[in-house]
Amino acid sequence: QVQLVESGGGLVQAGGSLRLSCTASGRTVDSLSMAWSRQAPGKEREYVGSISRGSAVYYADSVKDRFSISRDNAENTAFLQMNSLKPEDTAVYYCASTSSYWPKRAAESYEDWGQGTQVTVSS
């Protein structure tokens, strides 16, 4: 089993930036496909983006050109860089992992999840 711990959330003004981290233990991040998703109050969990084991990255249309996903194998950590933040980006952000080579958007395709980190964007 993979343990995932997110960090880096907080309060930021609209237009600002945050970088979320997801540190894995139990497996190396380069042996996993990893995804970020978010859930706003009263809404369903929403796919944000993912990175494959081969480092291909994918994004939801709502965050494309503003968010970027990367990983650092030495730190065994995946990152979500969020720029030009909007109030509608306010949510709890989760990272997830799967041993599948190609990540999918569906939450049920991921075996392990972190506990989430709150991101609040003020207008």
Side-chain angles (χ1 to χ4, degrees):
Q1 188 177 4
V2 178
Q3 291 77 45
L4 303 171
V5 178
E6 301 100 333
S7 61
L11 174 64
V12 64
Q13 289 189 333
S17 298
L18 280 175
R19 188 177 79 157
L20 305 184
S21 300
C22 175
T23 300
S25 58
R27 291 274 297 272
T28 58
V29 293
D30 59 359
S31 71
L32 300 166
S33 290
M34 301 184 73
W36 290 91
S37 63
R38 64 188 182 185
Q39 188 166 20
K43 296 189 177 181
E44 293 187 353
R45 191 168 295 193
E46 175 191 20
Y47 170 85
V48 172
S50 52
I51 182 167
S52 74
R53 284 168 50 184
S55 299
V57 290
Y58 308 89
Y59 301 100
D61 288 343
S62 58
V63 305
K64 193 166 47 177
D65 300 327
R66 298 190 297 123
F67 290 10
S68 64
I69 295 173
S70 62
R71 67 175 177 225
D72 185 320
N73 294 337
E75 295 185 15
N76 215 36
T77 298
F79 300 99
L80 177 65
Q81 177 67 45
M82 305 185 294
N83 299 326
S84 302
L85 283 161
K86 305 175 182 180
E88 51 264 42
D89 295 318
T90 295
V92 178
Y93 282 72
Y94 299 89
C95 70
S97 68
T98 176
S99 56
S100 297
Y101 190 90
W102 298 110
K104 299 179 180 179
R105 293 183 175 230
E108 55 266 25
S109 65
Y110 294 87
E111 293 104 39
D112 296 290
W113 291 81
Q115 82 290 350
T117 186
Q118 177 70 47
V119 171
T120 303
V121 185
S122 63
S123 57

